[in-house]
C-alpha cells in the first residue's frame, strides 16, 4: 500500500483586530436657522465713559443750557432721510452700527421704489440686499426689514404702531429705535440715547448713568417739558460735532461754563 504523505499544515490566520473602545465623536445637531437676526442696536461702550461725580446741575442751569441750544438751532432735524413713519423706522433699523450718511446713501434709491411695507415685500429680500449692501451687516438687516414689514401688515394694518412696546416687538427694533420713531414721526417727548447722548449726559454731569436707560431716565427727569421735543436732537448734534469722543471742542461749546467735566479746556 502506498504511503500517503500530507502537505504542510496551513498557517493559522492572524487574529482579527479588536475594535477600538474609543467611540467616534457624535455629530453636533444642526442649529435651527432663525428667520430674523438679532443685531445690536447700540455700540455704546459704557466702561470707557466715566460717570461724573460732581454736584448735580440746578434746574436753572439745565434751563439755561437748553435755552442756548434752542437759540443756536431753533428747529433741529434728525439726519436720517425718510419719507414717512415706515421709511423712518426702516432707516433707524438700518442705522445700527452704521453712520447716518452711509444709510442715507443706500436708502435714497431703496425708498424711491419701496416706501410702504407692501412694496418692500414685493421687492423681496434679495433685492433689498442689493440696495443696502454698502451698509454693515446688510444681509441680516435685509432679513429684518422684510420680517418687520410682514409683521406690520399682519398685526398693525400696515401702519407703524404708536407705542414703544409695540415698536419693540418688530424685528431689528429696540428701545432707541422706538424712541426715535415716536419722537420724529409722532412728536412724542421721548429721549433716544445713542453713543453721543450717552457721552454728553455723563461727561457734562447733566444726567450721569452707567447704562443708556439710566441716562435716558435721568435726562427725562431734569429737562423741562418745553425742550423735550427737540432735546435728543440737540444732544446728539452736540455730541457729534462739539463734544467729541476723543478731543472735545470745548473752545466752541455753548455750555462750556455750565459743564461739569473736570478736564474741559476752557
Amino acid at each position: 500500500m502506498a504511503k500517503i504523505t500530507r502537505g504542510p499544515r496551513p498557517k493559522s490566520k492572524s487574529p482579527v483586530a479588536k475594535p477600538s473602545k474609543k467611540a467616534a465623536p457624535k455629530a453636533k445637531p444642526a442649529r435651527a436657522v432663525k428667520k430674523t437676526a438679532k443685531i445690536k442696536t447700540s455700540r455704546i461702550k459704557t466702561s470707557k465713559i466715566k460717570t461724573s461725580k460732581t454736584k448735580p446741575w440746578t434746574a436753572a442751569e439745565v434751563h439755561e443750557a437748553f435755552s442756548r441750544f434752542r437759540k443756536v438751532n431753533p428747529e433741529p432735524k434728525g439726519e436720517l432721510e425718510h419719507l414717512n413713519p415706515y421709511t423712518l423706522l426702516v432707516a433707524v433699523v438700518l442705522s445700527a452700527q452704521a453712520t447716518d450718511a452711509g444709510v442715507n446713501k443706500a436708502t435714497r434709491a431703496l425708498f424711491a421704489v419701496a416706501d410702504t411695507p407692501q412694496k418692500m415685500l414685493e421687492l423681496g429680500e434679495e433685492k433689498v440686499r442689493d440696495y443696502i449692501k454698502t451698509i454693515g451687516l446688510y444681509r441680516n438687516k435685509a432679513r429684518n426689514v422684510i420680517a418687520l414689514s410682514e409683521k406690520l401688515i399682519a398685526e398693525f394694518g400696515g401702519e407703524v404702531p404708536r407705542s414703544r412696546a409695540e415698536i419693540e416687538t418688530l424685528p431689528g427694533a429696540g428701545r432707541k429705535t422706538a424712541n426715535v420713531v415716536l419722537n420724529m414721526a409722532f412728536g412724542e417727548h421721548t429721549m433716544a440715547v445713542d453713543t453721543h447722548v450717552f457721552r454728553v449726559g455723563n461727561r457734562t454731569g447733566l444726567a450721569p448713568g452707567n447704562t443708556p436707560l439710566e441716562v435716558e431716565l435721568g435726562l427725562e427727569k431734569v429737562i423741562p417739558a418745553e425742550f423735550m421735543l427737540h432735546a435728543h436732537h440737540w444732544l446728539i448734534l452736540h455730541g457729534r460735532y462739539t463734544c467729541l469722543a476723543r478731543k472735545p471742542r470745548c473752545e466752541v461749546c455753548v455750555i462750556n461754563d455750565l459743564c461739569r467735566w473736570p478736564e474741559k479746556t476752557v
Side-chain angles (χ1 to χ4, degrees), residues 19-125:
S20 173
K21 292 182 180 180
K22 188 177 181 181
K26 294 181 180 180
K28 294 182 179 180
R31 294 182 179 178
V33 178
K34 295 182 179 180
K35 291 184 179 180
T36 59
K38 292 183 179 180
I39 299 175
K40 293 181 180 179
T41 57
S42 176
R43 291 185 297 174
I44 299 175
K45 297 180 180 179
T46 57
S47 61
K48 292 187 177 182
I49 302 177
K50 294 182 180 179
T51 301
S52 176
K53 295 181 180 179
T54 57
K55 65 178 181 178
W57 287 43
T58 66
E61 288 175 325
V62 176
H63 191 281
E64 175 63 21
F66 283 90
S67 294
R68 295 179 190 179
F69 286 143
R70 180 169 60 187
K71 185 177 181 180
V72 173
N73 188 359
E75 295 290 332
K77 302 295 182 184
E79 296 185 332
L80 281 176
E81 297 174 6
H82 60 283
L83 306 174
N84 52 42
Y86 170 71
T87 54
L88 173 62
L89 171 64
V90 171
V92 179
V93 168
L94 295 179
S95 71
Q97 301 185 31
T99 65
D100 288 358
V103 172
N104 292 338
K105 184 177 180 181
T107 56
R108 288 182 192 121
L110 173 63
F111 293 158
V113 296
D115 59 354
T116 68
Q118 187 60 47
K119 289 179 182 178
M120 196 69 74
L121 291 182
E122 292 171 357
L123 190 62
E125 184 179 329

Side-chain angles (χ1 to χ4, degrees), residues 163-170 178 182:
S163 78
R164 181 188 288 119
E166 289 175 321
I167 295 176
E168 287 186 33
T169 67
L170 300 172
L182 290 173

Side-chain angles (χ1 to χ4, degrees), residues 86 90 94 106 110 113-114 119-135 138-139 141-146 149:
Y86 170 71
V90 171
L94 295 179
L110 173 63
V113 296
K119 289 179 182 178
M120 196 69 74
L121 291 182
E122 292 171 357
L123 190 62
E125 184 179 329
E126 185 175 348
K127 289 185 178 179
V128 171
R129 284 203 305 266
D130 290 339
Y131 277 102
I132 67 170
K133 61 186 177 182
T134 56
I135 302 175
Y138 73 96
R139 293 181 184 276
K141 290 179 179 180
R143 192 176 304 124
N144 281 336
V145 168
I146 292 299
S149 299

Side-chain angles (χ1 to χ4, degrees), residues 52-69 200-208 218-219 221-224 235 238 253-261 264:
S52 176
K53 295 181 180 179
T54 57
K55 65 178 181 178
W57 287 43
T58 66
E61 288 175 325
V62 176
H63 191 281
E64 175 63 21
F66 283 90
S67 294
R68 295 179 190 179
F69 286 143
V200 172
N202 274 288
R203 179 181 279 163
T204 63
L206 182 61
L219 289 170
K221 184 178 179 180
V222 301
I223 298 174
L235 294 174
H238 187 65
C253 175
V254 297
I255 61 169
N256 56 25
D257 58 319
L258 302 171
C259 177
R260 301 286 198 268
W261 192 39
K264 63 183 178 182

